[in-house]
Amino acid sequence: MKQILGFSKLSKDEKVEWLTQNYFKDSENATYLLKQYWNDDKKLQKLHDEFTENTISNYYLPFGVAPNFNINGEIYALPMAIEESSVIAAASNAAKFWGDKGGFKANVIDTRKVGQVHFLSSQNFPALEQFFNESKSLIFNRLQPLTKNMEKRGGGVLSLELRDKTSALANYYQIHAEFETLDAMGANFINSCLEEIAATLKEEAAKYFNASEDQQPLEIIMSILSNYVPNCIATAEVSCPVEDLLPNKEDAQHFAHKFIEAVNIAKAEPYRAVTHNKGIMNGIDAVVLATGNDFRAVEAGIHAYASRNGQYSSLTSAKVENGKFTFSIEIPLALGTVGGLTNLHPLVKLALEMLGNPSAKELMKIVAVAGLAQNFAAIKSLVTTGIQEGHMKMHLMNILNQFNASPSEKQEVKAHFKNNTVSHSAVVEVLEKLRNA
Ligand code: MEV
């Protein structure tokens, strides 16, 4: 295959043509499939085309809803964009389970976001520190045009700190900055501020250290926000007397014991912790995506937080104290409810309206609850029926759809598998029997 020059300049039709002619055996079918997902509403399609570059089609994910979430006394229906069967059913079950037990209590501990200017310098730390302290007020002045609107609303640059990182890497220093970006995720604001800080530092350092043109006292390497936000934290919790967990008191005690040990295993064992936290992310990502937030940033930050004590570990905790079962989560979340996709994508706007147009802080609480609920449902299944019972019910529907089963075929096959174990081959066998009868 030859490389193509100027691909981005081609029209959408031309891109599809080039792609399908060069990469597909049946280019006609590939073209048909890609165009099948184009939206007839030209304006809507243009909007989606322009979200990114080289758009050739739309990629659908199911947009579902998990109702009945009692969060701090308000009842929410959570919008969830996710392809994995049973995630929304599990979230809904957890919402129902906790709905009449006081619901979910959620909180935001702090909302400080982070950005860093990374630079190299052969100056020693005390010299740089003196320069930095003398330049700080000028840096804040230079930031004014960028920060004044954010400051009017109560946000802005919270702190700037020079950090000596030379024990990790030769000549490496950084400006570690903290920001309050209110309802915006704040990436553009933070990055613009950091670049201004870097430019000012470079300029002022040259004067301060009397540098010649070819011997700069500091070399700016890069300026970028951090997706690790350990001071932008949401928590969520559920609790109830142990005996309320299940109808039978002994079963309830046994359940609480197994549940807590399952969480403790995820605390102690990284192999389990990864899967445990993956289940949490099923709920978190689905709401983050539906509300137009950056799930990659959230994922990266949360997993780093799960390793903050030197070993990758569970994001949730469970305990029984004085006969009370408590299950909780603590996660870093940098989310926005204004700016970015939130103003542009019609379904994102709808998702936010479904949540009562929350502030970023409220959304942090909702997302933390989604993670906790998902984890509760997963562990509940794991320590009781096993995960496959619920999964296989959904899997059954997927297999039936794959084989284009009619509504009556679906009904009969589902009835058969009420008392039989679902497997791909067993479903196909039953369906074939039905069709040959
Ligand atoms: C599957 O997507 C998620 C689970 O594996 C999570 C868990 O094991 O806790 C069920």
Side-chain angles (χ1 to χ4, degrees):
M1 184 73 53
K2 273 209 319 208
Q3 285 183 330
I4 180 171
L5 288 177
F7 180 75
S8 66
K9 308 256 165 18
L10 299 181
S11 71
K12 196 161 121 183
D13 274 298
E14 287 167 339
K15 282 179 189 134
V16 168
E17 194 186 329
W18 179 84
L19 193 79
T20 54
Q21 301 269 318
N22 285 290
Y23 283 95
F24 293 87
K25 279 200 197 88
D26 186 346
S27 63
E28 210 173 299
N29 184 51
T31 306
Y32 169 77
L33 273 176
L34 286 170
K35 294 195 174 179
Q36 193 183 28
Y37 285 90
W38 288 10
N39 202 298
D40 290 340
D41 179 337
K42 293 251 171 7
K43 216 169 126 203
L44 189 66
Q45 186 53 59
K46 189 162 180 291
L47 182 74
H48 284 265
D49 288 350
E50 289 174 0
F51 283 149
T52 181
E53 304 81 25
N54 294 345
T55 309
I56 50 166
S57 191
N58 304 307
Y59 186 93
Y60 290 1
L61 278 184
F63 179 93
V65 60
N68 299 323
F69 268 90
N70 176 348
I71 304 176
N72 296 339
E74 289 268 337
I75 306 299
Y76 290 86
L78 304 199
M80 301 179 88
I82 185 143
E83 88 300 344
E84 186 176 328
S85 46
S86 78
V87 165
I88 295 184
S92 306
N93 285 341
K96 195 166 158 213
F97 185 95
W98 288 104
D100 60 0
K101 295 178 184 65
F104 295 81
K105 302 277 174 279
N107 235 315
V108 167
I109 306 291
D110 209 337
T111 55
R112 277 178 288 158
K113 289 168 187 160
V114 174
Q116 296 170 320
V117 176
H118 305 273
F119 65 93
L120 302 183
S121 176
S122 51
Q123 298 291 330
N124 61 33
F125 186 66
L128 280 174
E129 200 173 31
Q130 197 172 345
F131 154 67
F132 177 65
N133 287 338
E134 286 180 28
S135 312
K136 226 171 176 177
S137 61
L138 179 79
I139 294 173
F140 275 108
N141 280 345
R142 292 265 180 93
L143 282 171
Q144 262 302 298
L146 292 170
T147 56
K148 63 175 189 286
N149 282 339
M150 191 65 94
E151 280 168 10
K152 262 189 225 150
R153 287 180 275 132
V157 183
L158 301 177
S159 64
L160 296 179
E161 188 196 333
L162 173 71
R163 289 189 176 175
D164 182 351
K165 306 292 287 183
T166 50
S167 58
L169 181 69
N171 297 334
Y172 172 33
Y173 297 91
Q174 64 180 219
I175 303 297
H176 184 92
E178 288 191 315
F179 300 84
E180 171 55 64
T181 62
L182 306 167
D183 287 337
M185 195 265 185
N188 281 333
F189 172 75
I190 294 174
N191 289 334
S192 299
C193 288
L194 292 171
E195 287 185 6
E196 184 58 42
I197 294 168
T200 311
L201 275 180
K202 188 174 171 207
E203 213 178 291
E204 291 308 304
K207 287 189 230 157
Y208 184 90
F209 291 103
N210 249 332
S212 62
E213 191 54 36
D214 54 345
Q215 265 230 314
Q216 292 297 318
L218 50 89
E219 183 188 8
I220 304 290
I221 300 296
M222 59 191 164
S223 310
I224 187 74
L225 93 173
S226 172
N227 290 124
Y228 187 46
V229 284
N231 292 316
C232 189
I233 297 286
T235 62
E237 180 180 301
V238 283
S239 64
C240 72
V242 171
E243 59 264 29
D244 290 357
L245 285 168
L246 289 175
N248 174 301
K249 196 174 165 186
E250 265 175 28
D251 290 350
Q253 255 154 7
H254 188 54
F255 171 75
H257 155 75
K258 281 185 82 175
F259 193 102
I260 290 167
E261 289 306 337
V263 177
N264 288 342
I265 287 169
K267 282 203 181 283
E269 164 57 51
Y271 277 93
R272 173 56 201 151
V274 171
T275 317
H276 175 98
N277 290 347
K278 186 274 181 188
I280 294 172
M281 299 315 291
N282 280 343
I284 290 179
D285 282 344
V287 180
V288 166
L289 200 54
T291 54
N293 276 281
D294 181 345
F295 66 92
R296 287 87 57 209
V298 167
E299 282 273 351
I302 288 183
H303 292 300
Y305 195 68
S307 311
R308 68 192 180 285
N309 296 324
Q311 178 185 301
Y312 190 88
S313 181
S314 167
L315 294 160
T316 52
S317 305
K319 61 181 181 191
V320 170
E321 258 172 26
N322 303 323
K324 192 166 128 187
F325 171 84
T326 304
F327 181 45
S328 59
I329 189 167
E330 181 183 303
I331 41 168
L333 280 169
L335 300 177
T337 53
V338 297
L341 215 55
T342 57
N343 299 340
L344 293 173
H345 197 303
L347 277 178
V348 167
K349 280 199 226 171
L350 181 135
L352 288 169
E353 189 177 345
M354 195 191 297
L355 293 172
N357 289 323
S359 64
K361 270 186 175 177
E362 282 161 351
L363 186 60
M364 286 167 74
K365 295 179 200 171
I366 293 166
V367 168
V369 165
L372 185 70
Q374 210 66 48
N375 193 218
F376 178 78
I379 298 176
K380 183 166 177 280
S381 297
L382 286 168
V383 302
T384 55
T385 59
I387 205 73
Q388 283 309 82
E389 190 182 274
H391 271 193
M392 280 320 208
K393 268 191 209 146
M394 301 301 282
H395 188 46
L396 172 62
M397 281 313 289
N398 285 344
I399 302 169
L400 288 171
N401 285 334
Q402 190 190 334
F403 284 87
N404 292 321
S406 67
S408 68
E409 283 174 339
K410 280 183 182 166
Q411 210 177 359
E412 291 207 38
V413 178
K414 268 162 63 183
H416 173 88
F417 282 104
K418 265 214 164 98
N419 300 314
N420 289 289
T421 309
V422 176
S423 74
H424 192 275
S425 55
V427 177
V428 175
E429 200 179 308
V430 173
L431 196 59
E432 272 175 0
K433 258 195 201 147
L434 210 65
R435 285 180 173 173
N436 293 334

